[in-house]
Amino acid sequence: MITVSGLTKSYRMGEAEVQALKGVGFEIKANEFVAIMGPSGSGKSTLMNIIGCLDRPTSGSYRLNNREVAELSDDDLSAARNRDIGFVFQSFHLLPRLSALDNVLLPLRFSDSPAGDETHAKALLTRVGLDTRMDHRPNQLSGGQRQRVAIARSLVNRPAILLADEPTGALDSKTSVEIMELFTELHRAGQTIILVTHEEEVAAYAQRIIRMRDGQIVKIEERDHHAA
């Protein structure tokens, strides 16, 4: 599903050139649950942005569903972001004036695919445990509930891949466990999940952990179980 090889990313900061990624390569197959781990500055967020088609690499290859991403037009990239990839962020990114249901429906307004409708959105909110909170606005919801809305929104276009960037970073430990158990349920139902985190207890839910430091992969750990 995802094949990355020889990926580099350089930024100019004043006179200096910063190498955020230095020849990164790995594969992610359909229905895998993979965590990308590393300290601040390791390159994991840069890698996440490239996988999510939010940024382009300086060099190297990134193939998404057998298509070379570098060869996609901006419109094709935008379509891939909306159709193939669902995003979950640390800070939820919900629109404060919209209800939970309208926040979940939002991606459908930018999609020309008939992938979902209000019934589908309501089913997703029920699936994440918010069947009685659909009309609530974000300020009427707890942090964990807001992240559940964000997860339902990320799934509304039935994406092949769910990208989660520090999804428990703004949550207390009990709520973090609930959210990670929800990700585990989604994975068991067949969802491919890529999770960026710096927390070991969060990464422990994944099947594989890709550990990064200084823009390089230092270790890939296979795990045969989920923490619970």
Side-chain angles (χ1 to χ4, degrees), residues 96-118:
R97 297 181 179 214
L98 296 184
S99 67
L101 179 59
D102 284 335
N103 266 289
V104 172
L105 284 167
L106 207 56
L108 297 176
R109 295 181 184 166
F110 302 102
S111 170
D112 52 7
S113 70
D117 55 14
E118 194 165 309

Side-chain angles (χ1 to χ4, degrees), residues 3 5 57 60-72:
T3 306
S5 58
S61 168
Y62 167 32
R63 296 184 69 82
L64 172 63
N65 292 329
N66 290 322
R67 293 191 301 170
E68 184 60 56
V69 172
E71 294 169 4
L72 299 182

